[in-house]
Amino acid sequence: MKSRILFSALAGLLLAGLTVLFAPASPANAHGNVTGPASRNYGCFERWGSKFQDPAMATEDPMCWQAWQANPNAMWNWNGLFRENVAGNHQGAIPDGQLCSGGRTESGRYNAMDTIGDWKATNVGNSFNVKLFDGARHGADYIRVYVSKPGFNPVTQAPKWSDLEQVSQIGNTPAAQWTQRADGVEIDVPVSAPGRSGRALVYTIWQASHSDQSYYFCSDVNFGGATTPPTTPPTTPPTTPPTTPPTTPPTTPAAGACSATYSTSSQWSGGFQGEVKVTVGSSAIKSWTVTLAYDSAPSVQQSWNSTVSASGNSLVAKNAAYNGALPAAGTTSFGYIGSGTATTPTVTCAAAV
C-alpha cells in the first residue's frame, strides 16, 4: 500500500502559523488538524464552539466539557497542537500517557486531551480515510497513522506507545500535491485495520515540511458502526458564542479600565504567531481595543477572537462580538499570524465602560 500512496517530491512551499489557510507564496494563517475522524480538540470545537458554555455539554459531552473548562484555547487554537525540534524522536519527546497532548506541549494548553474517559467516537469501517487539513500549506515530510491494538480501551486507558500499531504512512508530499481549497489544502490517508471492532484510538503524526514541526492528534473511533464522513473545518471562529467570557478572573485587577500583554507563541521563516492577553480593571467593560505599536507594523494574515487592522505602524485589535463585555478583573485573549520576523510591540488597551 505504501508504494501506492507515496507521491513524488516537489519543491516545498513557505508556510505559516496557527489557524491554517493560505497561498503557497505567502505566510499562512494557521497550522492544521485531523478533521476526520475528528481529533479530540477539533471535535470539541466543531460541536461546541458556538455554544461552549452551554450547560448541556456537561451531560451530553462530558469529555469536551472538562476540556473547555480546563483551557478554552485548546479548542479555539484547534490547529496548534505541535512540538518543534523533535528530530523524529517522537517516543523520546512524548511520554506514555501524554500522547494526545503532544507531551503537554504549548505550556500545557492541550493537557485535557490526555484525560481518560468516554470521548465522542466516530463510527468507521475497517477501511477508512484519515483526513488532514493544512491551512498553512506546509505539506508533509510524512504522515503516520496508528491504530490502538486489540484489547486497548480509550474509555478506561491512557495510550502508551506500546498500545499502538502503525497501519499507514504517506511519504514526502508537498502541499501542491494535496487537494487544493480556498482556505488551505487537505489530504486523505487510506487506513486498513481488518478484524477490528469496538472502541479504539487513531493516532496521527504529521511531520510538516516546515522547519521541524511535528503535529500529534488523537481521534476516538468505533469500529463496526456506520461510516461517518469527514468534516470540513471552519475558516473563521464561530460568530454566535455566548457573551460571557470563557476565562477565570485573576485575583488582582488590572490598573485602569484594561491592560494587555503580548507574547510570541511561535515563529518560523517568514512569519510568526502573536498572542495578546487582555485583563480588565476594577470595573466591568462593554468593549475593548488593543493597539500594538511597532517600528514597522507586520501584515496580518489572520486573527482569531478579535478583528485586527493596520493603522500606520500599529496594529489595532478590537474585540469579537462574544468577548467584548467582560466583568471586573476578567480576562480574554486573542491571537494573529504576522509576516516577517517577530518583534515585541508596545501594547496599550482602551475600553468602553
Side-chain angles (χ1 to χ4, degrees):
M1 179 197 335
K2 189 173 179 182
S3 61
R4 295 199 305 269
I5 59 177
L6 282 174
F7 297 92
S8 59
L10 282 177
L13 304 172
L14 284 181
L15 33 249
L18 180 132
T19 337
V20 194
L21 341 150
F22 279 78
S26 64
N29 303 25
H31 304 305
N33 206 320
V34 168
T35 61
S39 70
R40 287 179 172 178
N41 69 319
Y42 179 76
C44 289
F45 176 82
E46 181 186 38
R47 292 190 295 275
W48 298 98
S50 62
K51 48 183 179 178
F52 61 92
Q53 289 187 316
D54 186 339
M57 190 193 328
T59 53
E60 294 177 13
D61 201 348
M63 299 312 297
C64 282
W65 175 260
Q66 63 85 29
W68 281 102
Q69 301 309 301
N71 193 333
N73 283 321
M75 276 61 68
W76 297 127
N77 298 314
W78 52 267
N79 42 30
L81 208 168
F82 66 91
R83 299 185 69 89
E84 294 185 308
N85 304 317
V86 172
N89 185 16
H90 306 293
Q91 294 190 36
I94 301 179
D96 286 343
Q98 298 179 17
L99 276 65
C100 297
S101 68
R104 299 179 180 173
T105 190
E106 295 295 300
S107 301
R109 174 186 290 164
Y110 302 97
N111 286 6
M113 303 304 111
D114 291 324
T115 304
I116 301 170
D118 190 8
W119 292 86
K120 292 287 186 182
T122 301
N123 292 327
V124 297
N126 293 118
S127 295
F128 63 98
N129 288 337
V130 167
K131 183 177 289 293
L132 176 64
F133 178 72
D134 172 10
R137 302 180 188 268
H138 292 319
D141 289 344
Y142 55 81
I143 303 168
R144 295 174 183 166
V145 180
Y146 301 77
V147 172
S148 56
K149 296 176 181 177
F152 175 82
N153 185 354
V155 177
T156 59
Q157 298 171 268
K160 306 185 296 293
W161 288 101
S162 60
D163 293 320
L164 303 179
E165 176 185 2
Q166 185 175 334
V167 293
S168 188
Q169 175 166 317
I170 283 181
N172 184 277
T173 50
Q177 297 179 354
W178 295 35
T179 300
Q180 301 297 309
R181 297 164 44 112
D183 53 356
V185 293
E186 62 187 11
I187 195 168
D188 287 332
V189 183
V191 174
S192 178
R196 301 298 177 87
S197 63
R199 291 294 297 268
L201 191 72
V202 175
Y203 192 62
T204 304
I205 299 175
W206 168 31
Q207 185 66 41
S209 297
H210 161 62
S211 188
D212 182 2
Q213 249 176 28
S214 307
Y215 294 75
Y216 304 95
F217 309 116
C218 280
S219 302
D220 293 87
V221 299
N222 180 39
F223 283 108
T227 301
T228 302
T231 55
T232 300
T235 58
T236 58
T239 56
T240 57
T243 55
T244 306
T247 50
T248 301
T251 55
T252 304
C258 64
S259 65
T261 55
Y262 168 88
S263 63
T264 300
S265 59
S266 181
Q267 54 186 315
W268 55 94
S269 176
F272 66 94
Q273 176 190 326
E275 293 193 10
V276 179
K277 180 180 180 180
V278 177
T279 304
V280 182
S282 57
S283 299
I285 64 173
K286 297 178 180 178
S287 63
W288 50 264
T289 300
V290 171
T291 301
L292 301 102
Y294 289 85
D295 291 335
S296 178
S299 61
V300 173
Q301 305 301 316
Q302 186 177 348
S303 63
W304 51 96
N305 297 344
S306 66
T307 300
V308 180
S309 59
S311 177
N313 285 330
S314 296
L315 298 178
V316 179
K318 295 182 180 294
N319 59 267
Y322 52 86
N323 65 351
L326 299 174
T331 66
T332 189
S333 62
F334 67 92
Y336 58 97
I337 300 298
S339 61
T341 302
T343 58
T344 300
T346 300
V347 185
T348 56
C349 184
V353 296

